[in-house]
Amino acid sequence: MSDATHPAAHKSPARSLHQLDARTKRRNASERRFKVMGIVAIGIGLAFLVLLLSTIVINGSTAFQQTFIKVPVYLDPAKLDKSGNRDPDDLKKATTFTYAPLVQNGLLEVVQKAGFGSELSKSDMKNLISASAASQVRDRVLADPSLIGKTVDFEIFASSRVDGYLKGRVHRDEIALDKNISVAQLDLVDSLRKDGALHKGFNWTFIFGADASDSRAEQAGIGIAMLGSFYMMLVVLVLALPIGVAASIYLEEFAKKNRFTDLIEVNISNLAAVPSIVFGILGLAAFIQFAHLPQSAPLVGGLVLTLMTLPTIIISTRAALKAVPPSIRDAALGVGASKMQSVFHHVLPLAMPGILTGTIIGLAQALGETAPLLLIGMVGYVATNTPEGFWDGFVSPNSAMPAQIYEWAKRADPAFYERAWGGIIILLIFLLGMNLIAIILRRKFERRW
Amino acid sequence: MNDMTLTERAVNATDCKITARNVQVYYGETHAIKDVDVDILDKTVTAFIGPSGCGKSTFLRCLNRMNDTIDICRVKGEILLDGEDIYDKRVDPVQLRAKVGMVFQKPNPFPKSIYDNVAYGPKIHGLTRNRAELDEIVEASLRKAALWGEVKDRLQAPGTGLSGGQQQRLCIARAIATSPEVLLMDEPCSALDPIATAQVEELIDELRTNFSVVIVTHSMQQAARVSQKTAFFHLGNLVEYDETDQIFTNPTDPRTESYITGRIG
Ligand SMILES: Nc1ncnc2c1ncn2[C@@H]1O[C@H](COP(=O)(O)OP(=O)(O)O)[C@@H](O)[C@H]1O
Ligand SMILES: [Mg+2]
């Protein structure tokens, strides 16, 4: 104790702590290098992410806008309703061929009012608006027969070239070889735009509509494909979650560890790495050719994606079950709970956040999967209408969001290309939403200590 | 606690509750318990002592067949509870564990409320007909575990939020809530501080009036304080089994003597 009162008695240290020795310097330097490498890696990753997202947004955001031309159409009762009694069945007899001239007349009026007309041929005018114009008018009339006899303003889709011109995709100096648009037409478009007869608006049809044929890019929407994806996810959720969780619980908690369960375990891990196209051809052979399920049906797509998702769900569920401390199982067994009670009362609730996360990641993977859908015919210009009822949605031919995007990316008209990017935005929004749900669910279950 | 069983059990305090004969336990090829014979008395605290790895836990876990959960573990020999072989084919280990409760080394309350922790056993065994009876059992068990005073105002709070000592007493309350006949405790105080240890030891002494208690401990002082009978294990053998006083003051086997004087261990 008395020593402590004499600090001056310290002798100088053999090695000063204030001077770093060579070894420490080297160690610190290598640590700094490692940190820099980590920061660079993260920086590269972030740069790519920003590049990716900005490209998607720049290319895809225009798909959510569409050019419309306001056309007053005189719905001539003499042509549309010859019997004159507005009988819906009679009205249906008037086809789009009957409507097309009425729309043409309306358009002619708009063009003449703008002071053009003589220098534009009939087909030049036709090319200004979408080929879907007549059916658009017809649908509206069938929904509301009282319009017959009046002159009604319709917001008709402008053709994809006109739309592209307004969005800066089509340039005056580049259209010399384009049969679908001429400089005279663009002059007309400019003048219509000044009048307000032609304007850009939000494109609800893109979000809720169906795919359209090659020549009507402006009418194509992703809505029906979205429904197809929804039905497939429903199938995947209803099948893969219970099967996957039951299989994992059995393997993890009940099965004896022997060569057979080892084999199953190896197989499941390997299945997770099998390319999805393999599942596609398996689905084609098993579900369509052997079981004779309908082609292009979301039911079959869902079954194929279930096969693909199962390994993911099983692996993550088993990991979640393994992470539950064994002391909880002991505690339950110790008070005389059966194996099943210990699993369902204690282990499963604790593993729930992990299981849900795994399931939603599996679903998200399935949602973005394209390759297997190609093989079972869920790609192409498949569905034009919403399914007739809830159950019909499972079996009526349909596509899915990623397959629809792939289909659009293949087509010639640049307007489809724009829609492909727009579709990717919608797909990403869905994936973000699913991840958000995963996070919320995890929080909710974790709060139960 | 059911009065009937209480009076029944009071009849003969020196009854033999558990009889083990020629017990062998193997973990795969490892012979962990070698030829152990032991008689565990009712209404008595029996302590298992011995150096680490000598098989105390293994033998304890044989008594309520918790070893069944370990795939590679095999048990041979005969263990009788009230004269019935617990390894008989007809015995459901789940039913056995309701009679032979267990408290583990590390406090392991369920991640549920204090109330639900204690109520879980009675619930799954259908011991109560209504909420009032369940409340009664929960209160009685917590009182016996000397925890009631500390938690009665926060029964719905999470059991995992209690201190280590409180958690262990909660686990004891959970174990006695199913009215077991035997209570097995595997080093119940090893994760506790001295004050909590003293509380649990006091509790064990009180539990003796209702249960047969078997406690594994690495602390010889603890064995001396709480137990009436002590068994000394060494390398899988039961070396000596006798009155606790006898073991600590006058051991017959030289291995026991060197262990309690601190030469093995
Ligand atoms: N789950 C197990 N698997 C394999 N060997 C085990 C297992 N548990 C215990 N053992 C072995 O059995 C022997 C006795 O262990 P244990 O009963 O835990 O001893 P103690 O509780 O007396 O410290 C030790 O040699 C240990 O390695
Ligand atoms: Mg032990």
Side-chain angles (χ1 to χ4, degrees), chain A residues 254-258 325-339 341-342 344-346 349-350 448-449, chain B residues 61 66 69 71 94 97-98 100-102 104 106 108-113 120-121 124-125 156-158 160 174-175 178:
Chain A
F254 291 92
K256 286 240 160 30
K257 303 277 169 284
N258 55 30
S327 65
I328 294 294
R329 296 178 179 85
D330 284 348
L333 296 179
V335 293
S338 68
K339 188 95 201 180
Q341 285 171 328
S342 97
F344 280 89
H345 294 164
H346 303 290
L350 286 178
R448 302 170 33 174
W449 351 289
Chain B
R61 290 163 62 90
M66 278 300 275
T69 60
D71 274 348
V94 169
R97 288 179 203 135
V100 184
M102 187 156 199
F104 298 83
K106 225 181 96 215
N108 55 355
F110 298 128
K112 296 180 188 295
S113 71
Y120 183 68
I124 59 171
H125 295 299
Q156 294 311 322
T160 41
R174 181 178 67 191
T178 52

Side-chain angles (χ1 to χ4, degrees), chain A residues 234-355:
Chain A
L234 219 56
V235 174
V236 175
L237 190 67
V238 165
L239 291 179
L241 183 62
I243 295 176
V245 171
S248 324
I249 290 178
Y250 181 76
L251 282 175
E252 200 54 47
E253 305 283 338
F254 291 92
K256 286 240 160 30
K257 303 277 169 284
N258 55 30
R259 210 168 282 170
F260 183 62
T261 47
D262 280 351
L263 189 73
I264 290 181
E265 196 165 343
V266 170
N267 269 309
I268 289 173
S269 316
N270 285 337
L271 274 181
V274 168
S276 55
I277 195 125
V278 176
F279 287 106
I281 206 149
L282 181 75
L284 175 65
F287 298 130
I288 296 178
Q289 289 168 351
F290 178 73
H292 296 293
L293 290 173
Q295 257 185 44
S296 311
L299 174 67
V300 178
L303 289 173
V304 170
L305 294 180
T306 299
L307 293 181
M308 214 196 76
T309 313
L310 266 176
T312 313
I313 293 186
I314 292 178
I315 289 171
S316 58
T317 302
R318 291 188 68 182
L321 291 173
K322 271 203 188 94
V324 175
S327 65
I328 294 294
R329 296 178 179 85
D330 284 348
L333 296 179
V335 293
S338 68
K339 188 95 201 180
M340 192 161 145
Q341 285 171 328
S342 97
V343 170
F344 280 89
H345 294 164
H346 303 290
V347 178
L348 207 53
L350 286 178
M352 218 46 176
I355 294 176

